DNA sequence: AATTTCATGTAACCAGTTACATGATTCA
DNA sequence: TGAATCATGTAACTGGTTACATGAAATT
């Protein structure tokens, strides 16, 4: 009955897997890199680390134990690594794209050191096909909105906003296919 | 010290402004239209309506009072309308784009019936310029990631994911400029 | 008669936000 | 000496999620 991990927790596991670090270091990453787009501050990071440690996915080792300013360096446990790998290699579903698109990209960002090249390519293909399906849905909605417009007294900003939604998914599919090509040619 | 409204609350105000509706109707909108990308279910909608009513932004009128199945139709109060208009005409900031991009698009979706054409155009221009600034930041980060790659033992999926972030903001800026052009030619 | 839809809500839970607290260390 | 940085955390609040509860009306 594994509790599902939050995006923040997965981001922390991913970062710690790249290199064991302290809570403070993790705060810095969110403050100073584009990872910050996933938000987060000490008030969420430290409790998340505590949860992950309690569940045995992380292990915090005290460094500079004697000194007056100790710090805890977190490492993945084997269970933590396993969870990360499972997460990274799960298929991309429509729901992922609709409700948790940023999580999909987070997964991709950490895949490089978690799974093999084939798995990364499969992931990108799944993004492309699922996004195509979504686009069909969205375009249908866009058409019905256009038809309901007849008497255009106000600006159709609602439909135009949907237009952005469509553009944004098109750009995701394009990116996935482009990246896939790059990975194949650099093999 | 006006409490800031949540995205859901603003979405509800926007929908109710278009047409007075019941809580049930609002649930249906989220279930059946692309508005559902903003999530939400009865468990959040009804409490949100209650909050908004308590604060005087909404007024719920009981319809079919005598019958066995009454329902409450919500309307905006004048304060509610004023708040919506203020929200819609606020400038677009960098932070909006970073932390609350979906809210920016939500605002745009409702602008048509809240502010005049000039205000809509200004809004789109602001999106374009703020996005350009963000892109500069992101590209700088992308370059430093490329330089740190030298020894390419694993796939650089982290940098590639940032590549998507960049593409996605590029597509936002493109959409804003394209839409602006459309609005100007259809004047 | 049974199922689905209409219609409204409540309650427990959970995680993120903000703000605060503490104290050592380094730097100006 | 005073400010910024290192380093770790706690506590209150808040709003969304899930699941549940209720019952009338319409549909099959």
């Amino acid at each position: 009955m594994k509790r599902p991990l939050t995006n923040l927790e997965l981001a922390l596991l991913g970062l710690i897997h790249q290199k064991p670090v302290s809570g403070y270091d993790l705060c810095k990453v969110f403050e100073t890199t584009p990872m910050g787009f996933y938000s987060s501050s000490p008030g969420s990071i430290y409790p998340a680390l505590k949860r992950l440690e309690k569940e045995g996915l992380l292990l915090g080792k005290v460094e500079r134990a004697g000194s007056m300013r100790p710090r805890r360096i977190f490492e993945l446990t084997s269970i933590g690594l396993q969870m990360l790998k499972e997460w990274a290699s799960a298929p991309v579903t429509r729901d992922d794209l609709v409700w948790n698109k940023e999580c999909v990209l987070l997964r991709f960002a950490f895949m490089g050191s978690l799974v093999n090249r084939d798995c990364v390519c499969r992931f990108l293909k799944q993004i492309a096909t699922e996004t195509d399906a979504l686009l069909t849905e969205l375009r249908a909605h866009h058409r019905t909105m256009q038809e309901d417009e007849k008497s255009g007294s106000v600006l159709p900003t609602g439909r135009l906003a949907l237009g952005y939604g469509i553009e944004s998914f098109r750009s995701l599919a394009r990116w996935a296919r482009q990246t896939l090509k790059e990975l194949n040619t650099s093999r």
Side-chain angles (χ1 to χ4, degrees), chain A:
Chain A
M1 57 149 286
K2 269 186 270 185
R3 163 186 82 92
L5 300 177
T6 66
N7 283 354
L8 173 60
E9 289 167 340
L10 291 161
L12 295 175
L13 291 178
L15 288 171
I16 290 168
H17 173 244
Q18 293 184 341
K19 178 173 185 277
V21 284
S22 68
Y24 186 78
D25 294 332
L26 292 165
C27 292
K28 284 289 143 191
V29 171
F30 287 98
E31 266 171 38
T32 62
T33 74
M35 281 289 294
F37 280 53
Y38 293 87
S39 187
S40 268
S41 44
S44 52
I45 290 174
Y46 284 101
L49 290 171
K50 195 190 270 185
R51 284 196 300 273
L52 293 170
E53 194 174 27
K54 196 163 58 187
E55 289 170 28
L57 308 185
L58 285 184
L59 191 77
K61 295 182 178 169
V62 177
E63 204 183 54
R64 301 195 298 234
S67 109
M68 280 300 100
R69 200 158 85 187
R71 60 180 210 154
R72 305 180 61 214
I73 303 292
F74 290 92
E75 289 176 14
L76 286 195
T77 64
S78 59
I79 304 175
L81 181 58
Q82 192 193 324
M83 295 277 285
L84 245 193
K85 284 186 175 170
E86 273 171 30
W87 171 65
S89 45
V92 180
T93 67
R94 178 194 183 273
D95 281 5
D96 288 335
L97 292 176
V98 172
W99 306 115
N100 226 354
K101 187 156 76 170
E102 59 177 25
C103 180
V104 173
L105 270 295
L106 191 63
R107 276 167 67 183
F108 182 78
F110 291 125
M111 285 188 95
S113 49
L114 288 169
V115 299
N116 62 32
R117 192 181 209 106
D118 287 349
C119 197
V120 174
C121 290
R122 185 167 57 243
F123 188 84
L124 288 170
K125 272 179 217 152
Q126 285 171 345
I127 290 181
T129 49
E130 289 300 317
T131 302
D132 285 348
L134 249 184
L135 277 169
T136 309
E137 288 180 46
L138 290 176
R139 288 193 178 113
H141 252 288
H142 193 265
R143 265 194 303 279
T144 61
M145 286 181 88
Q146 250 169 343
E147 284 155 16
D148 296 352
E149 252 165 41
K150 302 285 184 225
S151 61
S153 59
V154 293
L155 295 178
T157 50
R159 172 175 60 81
L160 293 170
L162 178 54
Y164 167 71
I166 291 171
E167 274 312 304
S168 118
F169 277 110
R170 274 186 56 191
S171 115
L172 176 61
R174 232 171 14 235
W175 168 83
R177 295 205 162 88
Q178 175 62 32
T179 305
L180 192 57
K181 216 184 288 177
E182 276 177 44
L183 289 185
N184 281 331
T185 59
S186 76
R187 184 189 299 273

